[in-house]
Amino acid sequence: MLGFLSARQTGLEDPLRLRRAASTRRVLGLELNKDRDVERIHGGGINTLDIEPVEGRYMLSGGSDGVIVLYDLENSSRQPYYTCKAVCSVDRYHPDVHKYSVETVQWYPHDTGMFTSSSFDKTLKVWDTNTLQTADVFNFEETVYSHHMSPVSTKHCLVAVGTRGPKVQLCDLKSGSCSHILQGHRQEILAVSWSPRYDYILATASADSRVKLWDVRRASGCLITLDQHNGEKSQAVESANTAHNGKVNGLCFTSDGLHLLTVGTDNRMRLWNSFNGENTLVNYGKVCNNSKKGLKFTVSCGCSSEFVFVPYGSTVAVYTVYSGEQITMLKGHYKSVDCCVFQSHFQELYSGSRDCNILAWVPSLYEPVPDDDETTKSQLNPAFEDAWSSSDEEG
């Protein structure tokens, strides 16, 4: 490590290399944090989580009870054991509370003063964080499964909305109305996601087994329909031009936007080139997916090798994105996990489950190892061992 720091100081090494290596080690050491609890507010399962990208301090949760909770993740008490408290909540007695299950919550990407939520009550609501009142409400004819705002766009304020109908609706926050509709799917839209690289590129996943990439500026809209066979099967084959052999209920771009990950009820996860729509054929093995609605999974950011965190029954499975290797299974929930979110500032993971709990997974510096006397002592986790050496040590 000393040799690496010296090389960095003299300009021989990329300054970001140490940061990426440290981030990777921290992700490899994720474990359930026994010193930190997240206050239990929800009376039903947790469907969705989102951490604001500005400070990485505040987290939203939405549950099947229709309640939305805002948490402060910072340890303001400075005590080793603490609880992440709920700052405020839209509870059942709030005049603007959703009538049914909240399926998606998302912070406004550029400011913590606003967030959005969508629900089975056929509404998308825009909230003022400071007053906890609705600034706008979009009503739909169908049940809403998912919505998403672009994390990078400065040119539009469009919210993509997926509903029980086969049409993707784009709502403009500036005008307060639905600006246009994207047609091409045959069944309900279970997941939508804007590219983190391009302002106008949108991905949608449907129960018709298809995933489509759209440029919302084009009249025709659809750019590519992802094909798991990369065009090698006859169009007469039933699975031609399908991304999965079942419903596609989750999708997530990698942090650089160059690839797209999808999950389906065929218990498969696939990695796609988001530029040309090619199936990269990375094999993740069986990825258990029993969800009948949208599944919220997430990817790491800023690591040497990026990772994907996927709800897998009552656990969260961790895979390397580009090799498909399963790194670990994070066990702690006792009912199915429906969502997880990655906090890239400190390489932490939060997961929400049908057991009504939100669990915090943090990097472990030390792990207990039994000694000869059956007692435990701390030993440095191998994931954090110094992999660097100075030239003097090597000599």
Side-chain angles (χ1 to χ4, degrees):
M1 179 64 79
L2 293 177
F4 179 83
L5 292 174
S6 176
R8 175 187 169 184
Q9 186 176 15
T10 56
L12 297 176
E13 286 285 3
D14 182 353
L16 292 177
R17 190 174 170 196
L18 174 60
R19 181 175 178 176
R20 293 193 187 103
S23 296
T24 301
R25 292 182 181 185
R26 289 173 63 83
V27 170
L28 290 173
L30 282 176
E31 68 172 12
L32 182 62
N33 190 345
K34 302 175 180 64
D35 301 334
R36 183 190 316 181
D37 291 322
V38 180
E39 186 177 2
R40 180 167 172 168
I41 303 292
H42 290 281
I46 314 297
N47 294 327
T48 173
L49 297 169
D50 192 40
I51 297 175
E52 47 86 12
V54 180
E55 297 178 75
R57 174 176 175 177
Y58 298 103
M59 179 173 71
L60 289 168
S61 67
S64 58
D65 54 0
V67 171
I68 300 171
V69 184
L70 194 161
Y71 295 96
D72 186 350
L73 302 179
E74 188 174 87
N75 180 12
S76 55
S77 69
R78 303 301 181 216
Q79 298 299 316
Y81 305 97
Y82 70 100
T83 299
C84 296
K85 292 288 187 181
V87 177
C88 56
S89 66
V90 181
D91 58 23
R92 298 307 306 168
Y93 304 102
H94 193 287
D96 298 322
V97 66
H98 283 289
K99 295 179 181 178
Y100 305 122
S101 175
V102 176
E103 293 302 300
T104 309
V105 291
Q106 186 189 4
W107 287 100
Y108 181 61
H110 310 295
D111 186 359
T112 56
M114 187 173 79
F115 67 89
T116 55
S117 63
S118 58
S119 165
F120 277 179
D121 64 9
K122 304 179 182 179
T123 64
L124 165 69
K125 296 187 177 184
V126 183
W127 299 84
D128 183 320
T129 310
N130 299 312
T131 63
L132 215 62
Q133 302 295 320
T134 53
D136 205 348
V137 179
F138 295 87
N139 293 286
F140 302 92
E141 296 179 357
E142 305 277 359
T143 298
V144 180
Y145 284 112
S146 177
H147 80 269
H148 194 236
M149 289 180 287
S150 172
V152 294
S153 178
T154 57
K155 300 175 183 178
H156 68 77
C157 291
L158 297 175
V159 183
V161 181
T163 70
R164 191 185 291 273
K167 300 175 183 177
V168 182
Q169 308 204 43
L170 300 180
C171 300
D172 193 340
L173 296 182
K174 289 183 178 179
S175 66
S177 62
C178 287
S179 59
H180 53 296
I181 292 172
L182 304 176
Q183 300 187 66
H185 285 292
R186 301 174 184 175
Q187 296 183 43
E188 60 262 35
I189 312 299
L190 298 176
V192 294
S193 181
W194 291 95
S195 167
R197 192 178 188 89
Y198 302 108
D199 287 16
Y200 295 98
I201 301 300
L202 174 70
T204 59
S206 170
D208 64 7
S209 303
R210 289 172 170 80
V211 174
K212 293 180 180 289
L213 294 178
W214 313 77
D215 183 338
V216 299
R217 297 168 297 181
R218 291 171 44 133
S220 58
C222 185
L223 289 173
I224 305 170
T225 298
L226 303 185
D227 180 7
Q228 59 182 305
H229 305 297
N230 288 330
E232 294 178 3
K233 294 284 185 179
S234 167
Q235 294 300 308
V237 177
E238 185 179 354
S239 62
N241 288 328
T242 59
H244 288 263
N245 296 321
K247 296 180 179 180
V248 189
N249 61 349
L251 45 76
C252 181
F253 281 96
T254 54
S255 57
D256 58 12
L258 296 177
H259 291 86
L260 176 70
L261 285 151
T262 62
V263 293
T265 56
D266 57 356
N267 295 327
R268 290 289 180 265
M269 179 163 63
R270 293 196 166 92
L271 179 71
W272 310 83
N273 183 315
S274 60
F275 179 73
N276 59 17
E278 181 184 4
N279 182 1
T280 62
L281 304 178
V282 174
N283 183 13
Y284 299 95
K286 180 180 179 181
V287 180
C288 184
N289 181 356
N290 298 319
S291 179
K292 296 181 180 179
K293 51 186 181 179
L295 191 72
K296 276 77 173 179
F297 65 103
T298 188
V299 293
S300 65
C301 178
C303 297
S304 300
S305 175
E306 298 297 357
F307 303 91
V308 55
F309 309 91
V310 189
Y312 192 113
S314 61
T315 69
V316 178
V318 184
Y319 301 87
T320 54
V321 171
Y322 301 109
S323 72
E325 178 187 1
Q326 186 183 99
I327 301 300
T328 187
M329 302 280 278
L330 302 177
K331 301 177 181 179
H333 290 286
Y334 55 89
K335 286 188 178 180
S336 293
V337 179
D338 284 324
C339 60
C340 56
V341 63
F342 186 71
Q343 209 275 30
S344 59
H345 292 71
F346 302 108
Q347 294 78 47
E348 298 172 348
L349 184 76
Y350 292 85
S351 58
S353 166
R354 296 177 196 175
D355 60 16
C356 309
N357 292 315
I358 300 173
L359 298 183
W361 310 87
V362 301
S364 171
L365 288 174
Y366 293 88
E367 58 183 9
V369 176
D371 62 12
D372 297 336
D373 300 323
E374 297 292 331
T375 59
T376 60
K377 61 183 179 180
S378 291
Q379 176 174 307
L380 192 64
N381 188 314
F384 295 89
E385 288 180 355
D386 190 359
W388 304 94
S389 60
S390 67
S391 56
D392 294 338
E393 291 172 340
E394 291 173 352

